[in-house]
Amino acid sequence: MKALSHLTPASRPRLGRPATQPRPPRTLRCAYRPDPAYFPYGIGNRGDWQSSCAILSSKTLSVEHLAAVNGHKSAVDLNLVPFESKEKPLPAPVESESSASAVAVQPPPKPLTIMDLSPAPMHGSQLRVAYQGVPGAYSEAAAGKAYPNCEAIPCDQFDVVFQAVEQWIADRAVLPIENSLGGSIHRNYDLLLRHRLHIVGEVQTPVHHCLMALPGTCPDSLTRVISHPQALSQCEHTLTKLAPQAVREAVDDTAGAAEHIATNKLRDTAAIASSRAAELYGLEVLADGIQDDSGNVTRFVMLAREPIIPRTDRPFKTSIVFAHEGLGTGVLFKVLSAFAFRDINLTKIESRPHRLRPIRVVEQAEEEGTFKHFEYLFYVDFEASLAEPRAQNALSEVQEFTSFLRVLGSYPMDMTPWIRPKSDDQKV
């Protein structure tokens, strides 16, 4: 299976659809509006949830040419499919005398409904799930854990994964967002804001690194060790002990490093990847479990074209991104206090440069000159469902101090039990 490197309309594969079948209609997408975020009656169905997404929005959008969506105003044309009422069916076409001999007019195709666009159930089969890397990558394992029996679609770059879902080549995407040792993956945070996909779930996968090479290779003969930059950093101390003479070289992904060695028959080069990658590409594992810290876990997010309806019968997590006004004192403190006052636990806060307005210059008196502030976007994860009034009220208060606010998703938390493996000094 080759990675998807180019997604042009002329060349991209049409997986799961015959060549004669028309392209699926555009989905109903959420629009983000500057209306006050207050829902006194909660969220009971998909329409209410889309309305919730619509009113948690950027305040900078134009308020002209508004369209109504579920009773709320929207500045974005959602291209809603017309609904045909069962009580009042559409009248049959009237034939004129000149067209009496013509072929009867075919009825219009049945429009898509909300049920047609609903996300498939969790752990469903027949799903096409895009991931970054080649077969044997940790992302492929995460896709299999999130959606068992799915059809995994490898992509060579993170942004191609987003495009695969947006262009209907894949139904879902699974992307790494943070690692317990390497920290946040900033590239994917930026792509979450650039694209309009929704987070519909998360999965946490333990990372177990192996040092592998062609069969018969001795660690003392290695001159290079190649892998993803984070994998190299996570095994730095162990590599110094196993192959101190080998130089480290970064590549795009771990499994791709193993494939490169197998394809080019590199006898002096080893790779850091999973044991599955060694099995797929016929490499020999020279050392198993070479990560410096046994508590090495990567958190992946599951993405879809449509959000899921938040619930309260199980633990949920909500991810948002916002930019504060920048005027006054303690603005960021006031934003975060909206969650603390309602006993909402924050599990993640990440800042990224505000690319549209990276610097704000503040004018002062002549003798003092001017000084600059760097502007940031803040990504926040908190443990609450948007179906809970406390979460809705918190976001309503947050919006008072922000110039931009977007809900990336409200989704079930990964509650899979995990036991930290024993480190080398704890093993008997």
Side-chain angles (χ1 to χ4, degrees), residues 257-327:
E259 182 186 36
H260 178 71
I261 292 176
T263 302
N264 297 279
K265 305 297 181 181
L266 302 177
R267 286 283 175 185
D268 62 341
T269 305
I272 299 176
S274 64
S275 57
R276 170 170 163 76
E279 179 182 352
L280 287 176
Y281 302 111
L283 301 183
E284 178 184 353
V285 175
L286 304 180
D288 192 10
I290 65 173
Q291 59 272 7
D292 296 332
D293 192 319
S294 57
N296 189 359
V297 179
T298 298
R299 174 175 168 249
F300 294 81
V301 292
M302 300 134 67
L303 305 176
R305 288 180 291 270
E306 291 294 319
I308 63 174
I309 300 177
R311 297 158 54 182
T312 58
D313 58 347
R314 60 175 299 180
F316 259 64
K317 181 183 294 184
T318 301
S319 298
I320 64 173
V321 55
F322 65 86
H324 61 72
E325 291 283 2
L327 301 177

Side-chain angles (χ1 to χ4, degrees), residues 45-295:
N45 51 46
R46 176 170 291 273
D48 294 338
W49 166 228
Q50 289 183 328
S51 300
S52 305
C53 292
I55 63 180
L56 296 174
S57 63
S58 168
K59 296 180 180 179
T60 59
L61 294 178
S62 172
V63 295
E64 299 178 357
H65 308 291
L66 300 177
V69 181
N70 296 326
H72 300 284
K73 293 183 177 181
S74 171
V76 181
D77 183 10
L78 297 184
N79 294 323
L80 297 180
V81 180
F83 176 77
E84 179 179 352
S85 175
K86 295 182 179 180
E87 291 77 7
K88 297 181 179 180
L90 295 177
V94 180
E95 295 185 0
S96 60
E97 296 180 358
S98 59
S99 59
S101 59
V103 181
V105 178
Q106 296 294 330
K110 181 180 179 181
L112 291 177
T113 65
I114 293 299
M115 295 304 298
D116 295 326
L117 300 177
S118 298
M122 186 179 299
H123 307 305
S125 59
Q126 308 297 325
L127 282 178
R128 300 164 297 176
V129 181
Y131 68 94
Q132 189 275 331
V134 298
Y138 292 106
S139 294
E140 183 193 39
K145 181 179 180 181
Y147 300 104
N149 303 320
C150 69
E151 178 187 353
I153 302 177
C155 304
D156 63 346
Q157 300 294 334
F158 286 128
D159 53 353
V160 178
V161 176
F162 283 84
Q163 297 175 34
V165 178
E166 291 174 334
Q167 300 184 24
W168 294 80
I169 295 176
D171 304 303
R172 301 287 188 275
V174 174
L175 285 176
I177 200 69
E178 61 178 329
N179 178 265
S180 58
L181 300 181
S184 301
I185 301 176
H186 295 146
R187 174 62 175 166
N188 287 340
Y189 274 102
D190 296 338
L191 290 174
L192 282 174
L193 184 62
R194 182 181 304 175
H195 296 268
R196 286 292 184 177
L197 298 184
H198 303 267
I199 302 178
V200 296
E202 67 173 4
V203 60
Q204 298 180 6
T205 303
V207 177
H208 192 80
H209 290 310
C210 300
L211 183 67
M212 60 193 67
L214 291 175
T217 303
C218 178
D220 295 335
S221 64
L222 296 175
T223 61
R224 285 194 312 163
V225 176
I226 61 176
S227 189
H228 189 274
Q230 285 207 9
L232 291 173
S233 64
Q234 294 165 9
C235 305
E236 181 179 359
H237 299 299
T238 307
L239 283 178
T240 303
K241 299 177 182 178
L242 294 175
Q245 76 284 355
V247 297
R248 282 72 156 167
E249 183 177 325
V251 294
D252 288 339
D253 59 87
T254 55
E259 182 186 36
H260 178 71
I261 292 176
T263 302
N264 297 279
K265 305 297 181 181
L266 302 177
R267 286 283 175 185
D268 62 341
T269 305
I272 299 176
S274 64
S275 57
R276 170 170 163 76
E279 179 182 352
L280 287 176
Y281 302 111
L283 301 183
E284 178 184 353
V285 175
L286 304 180
D288 192 10
I290 65 173
Q291 59 272 7
D292 296 332
D293 192 319
S294 57

